[in-house]
Amino acid sequence: MFIKTIKTLILYCTHLWVKSRDSKIIFYHDVHLTDNKYTDMSTSITVFKSHIDEIRQNGFEIVHKIENKKNQIQICFDDGFKGIYDNKDYFIKEAIFPKIFLAIYLIGQEGYLSEAEIVELQSLGFHFESHAYSHLNLVSFTDEQLEYELGESKLFLEKLLKKTITEICFPIGYFSERVYNFSLKAGYSKMHSSIPGNYFQEDWNGVVNRNLVQFFSPKEVKFIIFGALIPFRNHYKKRQFLKETTA
């Protein structure tokens, strides 16, 4: 309890320091009902609803695509867990159509969306993009393996969804200069990191920031949408943008 209180206090102080209404992406992994949880990374639907209420009450618009520099929030989900499908009626009712990043290897496995569910959700307005093929650290692959991870996931989704796939979310958040260049070469014009920050605050052309909020309280989410995580960007960049050594 003491550690949680300190964490909340730090977020409160940093959000007062930054106080930014710049548009941001927030992301989760799944949502669940009380008796049906597919991953420990899931957020209860009750807490998720409270997050949505907090975002809207503070004058931010929830959009499927950020177009304005200020006052817009885009919601993403990583991995493609099945709880999104279980709670689709809530999303539709609230006109919330998140972007979901799919790792091809996970599709259809226990607890994950099936191909049929993905197609159905897309027809309802949900958006899907790539999370690579095997959901492993892209930096660890050889050039040949990396081409496969990026290229085959794109081809698979384009065939399944009958649309062009132009975005990728780096699995586990890790990437490097080589991964960045190979992603561009594979045809991805937008790459999603797990580095917190504002949407239009780019360190690499085409790489966007995202703020993880799945374990935070509604009050803490309020602080985050006003920029509470931005002072910690360098910490996240050091952990997630890896420098590769050549033999």
Side-chain angles (χ1 to χ4, degrees):
M1 178 63 73
F2 175 74
I3 293 175
K4 180 172 177 56
T5 300
I6 293 298
K7 180 187 71 173
T8 302
L9 180 60
I10 290 171
L11 292 174
Y12 172 73
C13 292
T14 54
H15 108 279
L16 287 178
W17 176 31
V18 177
K19 204 63 174 180
S20 167
R21 296 199 67 92
D22 286 354
S23 297
K24 298 171 184 70
I25 297 176
I26 62 173
F27 76 103
Y28 303 79
H29 280 83
D30 200 19
V31 288
H32 65 272
L33 301 170
T34 305
D35 58 350
N36 202 2
K37 186 176 180 180
Y38 299 110
T39 172
D40 289 339
M41 297 182 290
S42 185
T43 304
S44 79
I45 192 65
T46 301
V47 171
F48 182 78
K49 290 176 181 179
S50 297
H51 287 183
I52 298 303
D53 290 343
E54 196 69 51
I55 291 166
R56 288 174 168 165
Q57 288 168 9
N58 281 281
F60 287 84
E61 177 189 13
I62 297 173
V63 297
H64 79 273
K65 179 181 179 181
I66 292 176
E67 296 178 325
N68 299 333
K69 187 174 181 180
K70 302 284 187 181
N71 300 320
Q72 290 187 332
I73 297 292
Q74 180 183 6
I75 296 175
C76 295
F77 284 87
D78 290 1
D79 301 350
F81 286 101
K82 198 177 179 69
I84 299 165
Y85 185 84
D86 294 344
N87 293 281
K88 65 181 185 295
D89 290 344
Y90 166 76
F91 287 97
I92 294 168
K93 178 183 176 182
E94 294 296 320
I96 299 169
F97 298 101
K99 183 169 292 180
I100 303 164
F101 294 100
L102 298 169
I104 308 309
Y105 177 76
L106 300 176
I107 295 174
Q109 292 197 29
E110 184 176 358
Y112 293 89
L113 295 169
S114 68
E115 290 185 23
E117 289 166 342
I118 292 166
V119 172
E120 179 185 344
L121 287 175
Q122 180 180 246
S123 72
L124 294 170
F126 292 73
H127 306 265
F128 293 93
E129 296 287 348
S130 174
H131 204 22
Y133 199 93
S134 60
H135 196 255
L136 296 174
N137 177 7
L138 294 176
V139 179
S140 68
F141 291 118
T142 65
D143 289 357
E144 183 179 5
Q145 292 169 332
L146 187 54
E147 285 183 345
Y148 181 87
E149 282 284 321
L150 299 169
E152 287 301 311
S153 57
K154 187 175 189 296
L155 290 173
F156 182 95
L157 290 176
E158 287 180 342
K159 182 177 179 181
L160 176 65
L161 301 173
K162 297 179 174 55
K163 72 165 192 171
T164 302
I165 298 296
T166 60
E167 301 183 27
I168 188 167
C169 174
F170 300 125
I172 323 173
Y174 297 139
F175 67 111
S176 65
E177 192 72 28
R178 182 175 66 102
V179 170
Y180 171 78
N181 289 328
F182 270 77
S183 297
L184 288 174
K185 182 180 177 182
Y188 296 105
S189 56
K190 184 179 293 184
M191 290 153 270
H192 294 250
S193 74
S194 299
I195 299 170
N198 301 324
Y199 180 78
F200 292 104
Q201 183 181 8
E202 291 188 350
D203 293 299
W204 301 270
N205 185 35
V207 177
V208 295
N209 306 301
R210 302 187 311 154
N211 303 268
L212 181 63
V213 299
Q214 62 195 22
F215 295 129
F216 289 107
S217 70
K219 181 186 294 184
E220 290 166 338
V221 167
K222 172 186 174 180
F223 300 154
I224 290 168
I225 62 176
F226 280 104
L229 294 179
I230 291 176
F232 305 102
R233 278 176 52 75
N234 286 336
H235 168 73
Y236 283 92
K237 284 167 65 175
K238 288 177 182 178
R239 291 178 56 188
Q240 295 175 15
F241 180 73
L242 306 180
K243 294 183 178 180
E244 301 187 57
T245 58
T246 56

